[in-house]
Amino acid sequence: MTDATRPRRIPSQTRSIERVRRIHAAALALIEEGGFDAATTTAIAERAQVSVATLYQFFANREAILEALIGGQIEILDRRMAEDMAAVRVDSVAAAVEVFLDTHNAHYLEHPQFVVLYYRSRYRSRGVNVDVQAHMDRMVDIIETVLVGGGLLPHSTDRRVLHVALELCDRIFEMAYRSNPTGDDAIINEGKIALTRYLEAHR
């Protein structure tokens, strides 16, 4: 999140917290119903039953609202990924890839608005890009812990290999959800094969 889109005012009173919650919920509902472009500040304010002036008390612009939403979703996904990867003992690269992609897919299915936010706003907002890059770095840390720390890849493995693997994962899901709101399982399964083969080539 950049300074330009950082929340103007941090809500502390119950009424203010509720207004911000309604603004977030309104933005998510509009995105789910009409896509990214449907979530204008005017439409968000109307759906949240607040004035546009009230909305601007908390957020500098629409991008600030969307950045707050995607930042919250990324935090949830990061925690979930760390927990799932730590809870499952994997004994092969293929098994690690399976857990990694399945956890991502489960989150996308449970939070369909996140897919729109993640894959549309990241190309329009510098602040979102900053948050996404931090998220990608954390994902690489998790992959490194599981694959390198678990002895599935050598300790000499260049982190760039893991970054490439994560970018491939990102593109696989973008392709799978591009025209299918519940994802294309065939594409995801093909992606698992591609990622597994790529990583196994570096053993």
Side-chain angles (χ1 to χ4, degrees):
M1 184 173 293
T2 64
D3 290 338
T5 54
R6 201 172 300 281
R8 287 180 166 178
R9 172 180 154 202
I10 305 299
S12 57
Q13 297 181 345
T14 301
R15 187 170 65 175
S16 295
I17 293 172
E18 173 59 20
R19 283 175 175 169
V20 169
R21 187 200 65 76
R22 293 208 313 268
I23 290 169
H24 285 169
L28 285 174
L30 287 165
I31 290 168
E32 185 171 13
E33 293 168 9
F36 185 87
D37 293 330
T40 64
T41 51
T42 301
I44 293 170
E46 182 178 348
R47 176 66 67 92
Q49 297 183 315
V50 301
S51 68
V52 174
T54 296
L55 184 150
Y56 282 129
Q57 287 179 8
F58 298 101
F59 300 100
N61 48 39
R62 181 181 80 148
E63 282 63 38
I65 300 171
L66 299 178
E67 285 178 23
L69 289 172
I70 196 169
Q73 284 291 318
I74 284 174
E75 287 180 8
I76 294 171
L77 178 56
D78 285 353
R79 288 196 300 270
R80 181 175 189 168
M81 185 59 64
E83 290 168 0
D84 283 9
M85 295 301 285
V88 178
R89 182 175 295 277
V90 294
D91 56 5
S92 68
V93 171
V97 168
E98 182 92 11
V99 175
F100 193 78
L101 268 68
D102 284 351
T103 297
H104 269 83
N105 197 38
H107 187 80
Y108 289 168
L109 290 172
E110 293 167 17
H111 304 276
Q113 310 97 328
F114 177 63
V115 178
V116 179
L117 280 168
Y118 187 80
Y119 289 112
R120 291 290 300 279
S121 61
R122 66 183 297 181
Y123 300 117
R124 301 185 181 201
S125 168
R126 187 167 64 88
V128 168
N129 268 325
V130 171
D131 289 342
V132 168
Q133 189 54 57
H135 161 67
M136 298 286 269
D137 290 340
R138 289 190 291 270
M139 291 297 100
V140 168
D141 290 341
I142 291 173
I143 294 173
E144 187 172 44
T145 298
V146 172
L147 295 180
V148 178
L152 299 175
L153 289 179
H155 287 283
S156 59
T157 301
D158 193 322
R159 273 177 66 90
R160 284 176 294 188
V161 170
L162 305 181
H163 274 285
V164 170
L166 192 58
E167 289 290 345
L168 289 172
C169 176
D170 214 30
R171 297 288 74 75
I172 289 163
F173 279 116
E174 184 175 16
M175 185 177 177
Y177 280 86
R178 185 178 298 154
S179 57
N180 190 333
T182 59
D184 187 321
D185 289 340
I187 290 176
I188 294 170
N189 287 333
E190 289 300 313
K192 289 177 180 179
I193 295 170
L195 277 171
T196 299
R197 297 294 182 270
Y198 170 72
L199 289 168
E200 286 180 341
H202 292 276
R203 285 191 299 186

